[in-house]
Amino acid sequence: RIAGFNRQKPNTGIPLHSDGNNMWLTCQMGIKVPSDDKAWIRVGPETRRWKQGECLLYDTTYEHETMNEHESEERVVLHIDFFNTLSMTKVEIEIMEYIYHLREEFMKAEGVSK
């Protein structure tokens, strides 16, 4: 679905929220992680801390929030959302593939994608 890098400045957080659907899962790999386990994510009742080079996988259907409590170090993760095909029917998967095919064709026509 998407991939990119997420940065979080020192002493900042992303408030508690839910993405409201179970269409995708999120994987985040620690690229630059503050020392002393100061950067964390809470998904549902579980809190995890990023480790450099390690991945966290979570379902954004559940409420989640992040915090970087370090005074001076930012947190950078590789963020990848991919379709949660485990909870989708064959028809739903085919529809999503069709929609994203149309999206790619549109982006090519606009010169945004190759």
Side-chain angles (χ1 to χ4, degrees):
R1 186 176 101 78
I2 64 165
F5 294 95
N6 291 354
R7 296 172 62 191
Q8 191 168 22
K9 293 180 181 181
N11 288 316
T12 64
I14 298 174
L16 186 64
H17 68 285
S18 169
D19 293 348
N21 65 65
N22 67 345
M23 290 175 35
W24 51 81
L25 298 172
T26 296
C27 179
Q28 292 186 337
M29 182 175 73
I31 301 296
K32 183 178 179 186
V33 179
S35 58
D36 300 328
D37 287 334
K38 294 287 188 177
W40 53 264
I41 182 169
R42 185 182 67 78
V43 180
E46 281 191 45
T47 300
R48 300 279 175 97
R49 299 185 184 275
W50 284 280
K51 304 286 185 196
Q52 191 160 327
E54 294 184 14
C55 292
L56 297 175
L57 179 68
Y58 59 96
D59 182 341
T60 60
T61 305
Y62 297 96
E63 287 187 331
H64 52 285
E65 63 183 334
T66 69
M67 188 66 193
N68 179 3
E69 298 172 329
H70 201 278
E71 294 293 322
S72 60
E73 296 177 24
E74 71 177 357
R75 186 262 302 158
V76 179
V77 296
L78 172 62
H79 179 109
I80 303 170
D81 283 343
F82 54 94
F83 290 112
N84 183 6
T85 56
L86 297 174
S87 68
M88 296 171 76
T89 67
K90 185 175 189 280
V91 171
E92 289 172 326
I93 293 169
E94 289 171 356
I95 290 168
M96 293 307 295
E97 288 173 342
Y98 177 71
I99 289 169
Y100 273 82
H101 170 75
L102 291 177
R103 178 180 175 266
E104 284 299 311
E105 292 301 313
F106 175 79
M107 290 176 69
K108 286 178 190 174
E110 293 293 310
V112 178
S113 179
K114 293 182 181 180

